[in-house]
Amino acid sequence: MYLIFIIFVILLVFNLKFIAKPLKKIDKKTWLTLSLILVFFFVLYWFFIPNLHRVYGDEPAILAGATYDSGNVIESSSIESLYRLTFQIFGFDNVNAIKLNVVVSILNLFLLFYLLYLLFENKYISLLAPVFLGVSHQYIAHSASSYTHP
């Protein structure tokens, strides 16, 4: 069931040096700024944005797919697998799905920073893009929901 996730973790571990190599060139001031940005959005999404559960059409189908195991990895999407893993660890609750999506949204902001730093090697562009994405209305609405495809 978690074969794709296990393969992803193995590939991540084997390529960690290659992934971390460009991050070593970033100065401490940029890391501090990025950390403050990510903490700000984490606090904003976790505590201040209302949980907008079941406002999008396919949320019940996504969560229903995560509640029971079909035994076939191809049938379930990656987000359903993450929901299923979260439900098995923390119990079945809609709040767990929403909080998982907040964490995934914050990770997306970091990945956007990393991608833009690799492309442009400019810390200002790399820091501004997550801020602009993080304050966009659609991203805020989807980060406090279990809907994951804005």
Side-chain angles (χ1 to χ4, degrees):
M1 175 170 71
Y2 299 109
L3 181 64
I4 295 173
F5 181 71
I6 292 170
I7 291 172
F8 174 75
V9 170
I10 290 171
L11 289 174
L12 184 68
V13 168
F14 284 137
N15 293 314
L16 201 55
K17 288 182 183 179
F18 178 74
I19 293 170
K21 190 176 180 181
L23 296 176
K24 292 179 182 178
K25 294 188 283 184
I26 300 173
D27 59 347
K28 291 182 181 182
K29 188 176 179 181
T30 306
W31 278 116
L32 179 66
T33 308
L34 178 65
S35 300
L36 290 174
I37 291 169
L38 294 178
V39 167
F40 170 75
F41 284 116
F42 179 78
V43 170
L44 177 71
Y45 298 158
W46 193 275
F47 297 110
F48 295 108
I49 303 300
N51 293 333
L52 303 172
H53 186 63
R54 295 188 186 263
V55 294
Y56 300 103
D58 61 347
E59 282 187 24
I62 292 172
L63 292 179
T67 56
Y68 42 128
D69 182 15
S70 65
N72 189 355
V73 177
I74 307 237
E75 286 182 9
S76 64
S77 68
S78 58
I79 195 65
E80 287 177 359
S81 298
L82 284 175
Y83 284 145
R84 189 177 303 127
L85 182 64
T86 303
F87 292 156
Q88 287 176 353
I89 294 172
F90 299 109
F92 183 72
D93 192 5
N94 294 338
V95 174
N96 293 334
I98 293 168
K99 297 308 180 185
L100 171 69
N101 203 33
V102 169
V103 172
V104 170
S105 298
I106 297 301
L107 289 176
N108 284 338
L109 293 177
F110 175 76
L111 289 175
L112 178 65
F113 167 81
Y114 181 70
L115 176 67
L116 290 178
Y117 189 79
L118 288 177
L119 288 175
F120 299 113
E121 294 183 2
N122 185 340
K123 63 182 180 180
Y124 300 112
I125 294 173
S126 302
L127 286 172
L128 280 178
V131 171
F132 288 144
L133 178 64
V135 298
S136 69
H137 172 70
Q138 284 288 65
Y139 199 75
I140 290 173
H142 289 285
S143 69
S145 160
S146 64
Y147 183 75
T148 57
H149 311 290

